[in-house]
Amino acid sequence: MDFIIEAVVKAVKDLYQTNITAKDVNLQETRKEFEGQITVVTFPFTKVSRKGPEQTGNEIGEYIRNNVKEIASFNVIKGFLNISIADDYWLEKLNNEILTDDFATVKPNGKKVMVEYSSPNTNKPLHLGHIRNNLLGFSLAEILAAAGYEVVKANLVNDRGIHICKSMLAWQQFGNGETPQSSGLKGDHLAGKYYVWFDKAYKQQITELIEEGQTEDEAKKNAPLIKQAQEMLQKWEAGDEEVISLWKTMNGWVYDGFAETYKALGVSFDKYYYESNTYLLGKDIVEEGLEKGVFFKKDDGSVWIDLTEDGLDQKLVLRSDGTSVYITQDLGTAQLKYNDYHMDESIYVVGNEQDYHFKVLFLILEKLGKSWAKGLYHLSYGMVDLPSGKMKSREGTVVDADDLMADMFDTAKQQTEAMGKVEGLSDEERTTLYHTIGMGALKYFLLKVDPKKRLLFDPNESVDFQGHTGPFIQYTHARIKSVLSRAGYTGTATVNITEVDAVERDLIVSLTKFPETITDAAANHSPAVIANYIYELAKLYNKFYHEKSIMQAESEGLKQFRLQLSAATAKVISKGMKLLGIDVPERM
Ligand code: ARG
């Protein structure tokens, strides 16, 4: 709305002989209860007009209406100058911007950003928290790309360490050579099963040792299983052939399993980092930090950083036995990522239980003098809960990602069948549709919430076709598509109308906001901004659809216009949902 800003600048100059700049003009969306689409806040100009806000608003309004042909009328309410823009202007926007192929595509901004997300451990399958992580990361990457960034989607796999040794050890001891093939279990589930076995057996040993008179702390340290796991980790670090070979086999199973889950989730990565490759680089950085005096060594040989002056505490960066801890690996990975891509920004999509870890990590990298440390950002997100009683997983603790997706498919199937929406579809088409709706429901429900907030995922509510849901939006899209196909709309007709009604104007105004919504979502790292925008758009379309007849429009020109408006809405819904990683069906 630059032309309004310019007009106001000129008005203030001519009326009050004062030079102001564009920055001094504050524009807002006009509140729904008033007439107009755009509002100028006139209070700042009362100083130079030396009149009340009401009169100032009227004077400026009068001036710009007489000077700018796009301004049809204005009204002033309590110093807010509400401007109505002429319908011509909106119709032209629709034709020359919104309906063009490159609407909402921006030029590259020359900046490179890495989005690291998912980043699982290889000892167990993905769970509900990972689902939120994967959806956020993938969507954020899409949004940043749409906003002009060059984006690298990265996945850091924590594929080494004591946790994976626990699964390996349990498999060795209790597995009888079980494989995904022999058991029919997905590889990640198989590894997870042995991780749980380890935990059980380990707890059993602790209990026994306590009964024999040891304290709990002693028992935890002395239990044979944990000692064996630690031994295995040392052997792994030493490159022991047998251990490495078992590690490769089990991780291989897990990767096959993850690949299936990622496919079902519709997410992908440009680059994988593996902790097994980066932890040694981390040790180099520990050396660097010691040389620079950023770290210090304790008598037992362990290496620390003292962050008490920064309001944090002392933090271990390398164990006394020389083995690396979680943050050692992250120091190395951060360096490697930068060496590989030289990106301007690097985003870590990780749950808020790791807030402290990332605070420390970024601070250390800054203290080490890494020029790129200022570009690091932790996109911290809240936990996901399920309503109590829903979907206890086989381990009884966390909700498995694959189980949840299968459940969503079933819920989508039930609800869709109950609504009789699938007549005339082949079996294959139905299966695709249930998957699209089930995943749309899940994705939309998780993404519509501000990432920072904890959320309660209710599967049934998420599929409600009338609610603030993915399926409601998907259904709106399908409805538009069916209108367009019934009308034989080809997108070529010329529209010869000059006036539109309020609901139509509102719809065009909403459509024009798509590009700025993308920028806003990118700047705030928030897919929720897109999700809520599309919902408002879909609601507005439904209002239009109920108020206005398309096929029985008063004139052919009006009918073509309404079809155009429908086509434009479908396009923006589809593009917007794509930024959330959600497909929209052509019919349902
Ligand atoms: N694998 C870790 C976990 O499951 C998350 C890794 C997050 N990314 C990172 N660069 N530290 O808790």
Side-chain angles (χ1 to χ4, degrees), residues 3 24 57 93 98 187 206 216-217 282 303 338 457 486 491 528 569:
F3 70 95
D24 302 316
K93 279 259 173 200
I98 303 169
I206 295 173
E216 190 175 336
D217 278 353
V303 182
Y338 184 73
F457 175 62
R486 263 185 288 138
T569 306

Side-chain angles (χ1 to χ4, degrees), residues 5-151:
I5 296 181
E6 269 165 40
V8 172
V9 170
K10 191 154 181 298
V12 171
K13 182 163 196 264
D14 281 7
L15 293 170
Y16 313 125
Q17 288 74 50
T18 306
N19 285 313
I20 59 166
T21 65
K23 279 198 210 70
D24 302 316
V25 183
N26 182 356
L27 294 189
Q28 299 177 349
E29 205 172 306
T30 302
R31 305 239 312 250
K32 284 205 173 34
E33 58 268 40
F34 303 132
E35 202 181 312
Q37 295 90 45
I38 194 90
T39 294
V40 182
V41 185
T42 61
F43 296 98
F45 310 129
T46 55
K47 262 193 239 110
V48 296
S49 71
R50 298 172 193 216
K51 289 168 187 151
E54 197 81 16
Q55 201 183 338
T56 308
N58 275 308
E59 287 180 356
I60 297 177
E62 197 76 40
Y63 183 98
I64 61 176
R65 190 196 49 204
N66 293 336
N67 282 281
V68 183
K69 70 171 185 343
E70 289 90 350
I71 296 177
S73 63
F74 71 91
N75 63 81
V76 180
I77 292 171
K78 296 193 171 143
F80 290 94
L81 168 59
N82 303 320
I83 299 168
S84 295
I85 313 239
D87 288 345
D88 283 356
Y89 174 85
W90 298 117
L91 286 165
E92 196 188 294
K93 279 259 173 200
L94 178 64
N95 276 293
N96 297 348
E97 286 181 32
I98 303 169
L99 282 164
T100 57
D101 285 341
D102 55 1
F103 176 58
T105 48
V106 303
K107 284 198 211 76
N109 66 8
K111 286 199 175 153
K112 203 188 275 182
V113 60
M114 177 179 280
V115 181
E116 184 216 283
Y117 70 100
S118 200
S119 302
N121 297 337
T122 54
N123 60 323
K124 51 184 177 205
L126 305 183
H127 55 71
L128 180 53
H130 286 112
I131 292 190
R132 187 174 198 187
N133 181 313
N134 280 284
L135 299 182
L136 274 175
F138 180 80
S139 174
L140 181 62
E142 293 286 302
I143 291 167
L144 290 166
Y149 285 85
E150 185 186 334
V151 181

Side-chain angles (χ1 to χ4, degrees), residues 116-124 127 130 133 156-159 163 275 326-327 329-330 333-334 337 348-351 353-354 357-358 361:
E116 184 216 283
Y117 70 100
S118 200
S119 302
N121 297 337
T122 54
N123 60 323
K124 51 184 177 205
H127 55 71
H130 286 112
N133 181 313
L156 167 81
V157 186
N158 292 111
D159 62 342
H163 56 275
E275 179 178 344
Y326 181 49
I327 204 161
Q329 154 279 138
D330 256 329
T333 312
K337 283 174 169 179
Y348 293 78
V349 182
V350 185
E353 70 279 2
Q354 295 192 25
H357 169 78
F358 284 100
L361 176 66

